[in-house]
Amino acid sequence: MVSIVSGVLTIILTYDICRRLYDEKKALISAVISFCCPLLLFCSTRILIDALFAFLVAFTVWSFLLASKSNQRSYFIFSGFIFGLSLLTKQLGILILLTCLYILFRDGFSKQKLVFFIYFLFTAVLICSPWYIYFYKIYGTISPWWTKPSFELISIFPFLRMVVNRPWYFYVTYIILIAPVYLFAFMNIVYVLKNKRINAEIIWALSFLIPLSILGINGWGFQTRFIVPAIPALAILSANVLDTENKWVGVLGVLLLILGSLTGILNSLIFRPEEVFPFYFWFK
């Protein structure tokens, strides 16, 4: 139930984040894209931590957007509380920090903003430090390094062998295979960066895709569900492209959304594999 509710709330937050960054039309498109996302459906229909983590990451961004607009200390404290919860859920929650920094300082630096950011960080530390202190006292570390797949486990379990041996570009190519509409997101990223510009959703997406790829290269493996916190950002990036007067782009977008929805149904409602597989996999 927690995963299902988290998935639904993530879609709602994606809509409102996009509305605050852009407009109503793009927000509706991004919500539809998130709703049709096979990866979000996959994580929302299983007892996994990833849907909850994606929700808390999106909640952090949403609350931080509100805080940056309000310029009130209480909003930053609340956002820090949510950020702390995301760090308690998964240490990778730290990756959203760069997006928050961009949102706060994109219009310039000020002493007041810095003070607000300190409130944000201090609250997050207060929330998560008791657990990490306790964890350190028990294990002598704050990071569960032993979860890295060992040679023995890799040799025993074929799934782990598959995960560890995936290529460095796995996340980018595979997310397009299972949810082809995100091809528009990566086209948008290339276009914006080529024009020497940047925005919050690009930082958000790359803040997860790049570090997770580095971890995968260094033996931690590549699992598709790890990048579900980047789904709201990819949905917004795709919506920016699909919000066009070109009807053929719109038609292509609808077809790709249908294909992604069918992939989600096959993976999450009909069959229940340990990993999300592309649509064509089920017809081999």
Side-chain angles (χ1 to χ4, degrees):
M1 181 60 71
V2 172
S3 294
I4 295 173
V5 173
S6 297
V8 172
L9 291 176
T10 300
I11 295 171
I12 296 172
L13 286 173
T14 301
Y15 165 83
D16 203 55
I17 291 169
C18 189
R19 183 181 66 84
R20 293 175 184 278
L21 290 174
Y22 296 103
D23 55 51
E24 188 80 22
K25 184 179 178 182
K26 286 185 175 68
L28 287 170
I29 296 172
S30 67
V32 171
I33 293 171
S34 299
F35 178 78
C36 296
C37 178
L39 180 55
L40 188 58
L41 178 61
F42 179 87
C43 293
S44 300
T45 54
R46 284 163 172 76
I47 305 175
L48 295 170
I49 202 172
D50 302 277
L52 175 61
F53 180 51
F55 160 67
L56 290 172
V57 167
F59 200 1
T60 299
V61 175
W62 179 82
S63 61
F64 201 86
L65 277 172
L66 262 63
S68 63
K69 294 292 184 182
S70 70
N71 282 324
Q72 295 183 35
R73 180 176 59 186
S74 58
Y75 279 74
F76 283 93
I77 290 174
F78 174 73
S79 185
F81 173 76
I82 303 302
F83 179 53
L85 293 180
S86 73
L87 291 174
L88 284 174
T89 307
K90 253 189 177 183
Q91 290 181 338
L92 291 173
I94 194 70
L95 297 177
I96 202 60
L97 196 58
L98 191 59
T99 305
C100 294
L101 280 168
Y102 172 80
I103 290 171
L104 185 60
F105 295 111
R106 60 183 168 179
D107 296 324
F109 177 86
S110 70
K111 183 179 178 180
Q112 184 188 43
K113 288 182 178 180
L114 180 60
V115 171
F116 284 149
F117 191 69
I118 291 172
Y119 276 114
F120 167 79
L121 289 179
F122 182 71
T123 306
V125 170
L126 282 180
I127 294 299
C128 65
S129 58
W131 165 251
Y132 284 114
I133 291 172
Y134 171 77
F135 193 91
Y136 180 81
K137 287 182 177 180
I138 299 297
Y139 297 105
T141 179
I142 62 170
S143 179
W145 51 265
W146 53 84
T147 58
K148 182 177 181 180
S150 64
F151 176 78
E152 292 77 12
L153 289 176
I154 293 171
S155 61
I156 294 172
F157 298 104
F159 177 76
L160 282 179
R161 194 179 311 122
M162 175 186 71
V163 165
V164 171
N165 290 327
R166 282 168 166 168
W168 63 268
Y169 51 83
F170 171 79
Y171 286 128
V172 173
T173 56
Y174 203 71
I175 191 65
I176 294 174
L177 285 176
I178 63 173
V181 73
Y182 292 134
L183 174 63
F184 294 119
F186 291 105
M187 290 170 58
N188 193 358
I189 290 173
V190 171
Y191 176 78
V192 173
L193 294 180
K194 184 179 179 181
N195 287 277
K196 298 180 180 179
R197 292 184 285 118
I198 196 69
N199 55 44
E201 57 271 28
I202 288 180
I203 295 174
W204 183 352
L206 295 183
S207 292
F208 282 91
L209 290 170
I210 294 175
L212 286 171
S213 295
I214 293 172
L215 285 174
I217 293 170
N218 284 279
W220 291 87
F222 298 81
Q223 290 196 54
T224 317
R225 63 185 178 86
F226 290 171
I227 60 168
V228 72
I231 290 302
L234 294 175
I236 295 170
L237 286 164
S238 299
N240 284 333
V241 177
L242 291 173
D243 182 16
T244 176
E245 299 298 325
N246 189 321
K247 66 176 183 179
W248 295 112
V249 173
V251 169
L252 178 60
V254 170
L255 292 175
L256 295 181
L257 279 174
I258 293 172
L259 183 58
S261 298
L262 292 174
T263 302
I265 291 171
L266 287 169
N267 281 278
S268 302
L269 302 179
I270 298 178
F271 306 102
R272 297 184 66 83
E274 293 299 317
E275 174 66 290
V276 187
F277 293 106
F279 182 79
Y280 67 82
F281 174 86
W282 301 104
F283 297 94
K284 286 185 177 180

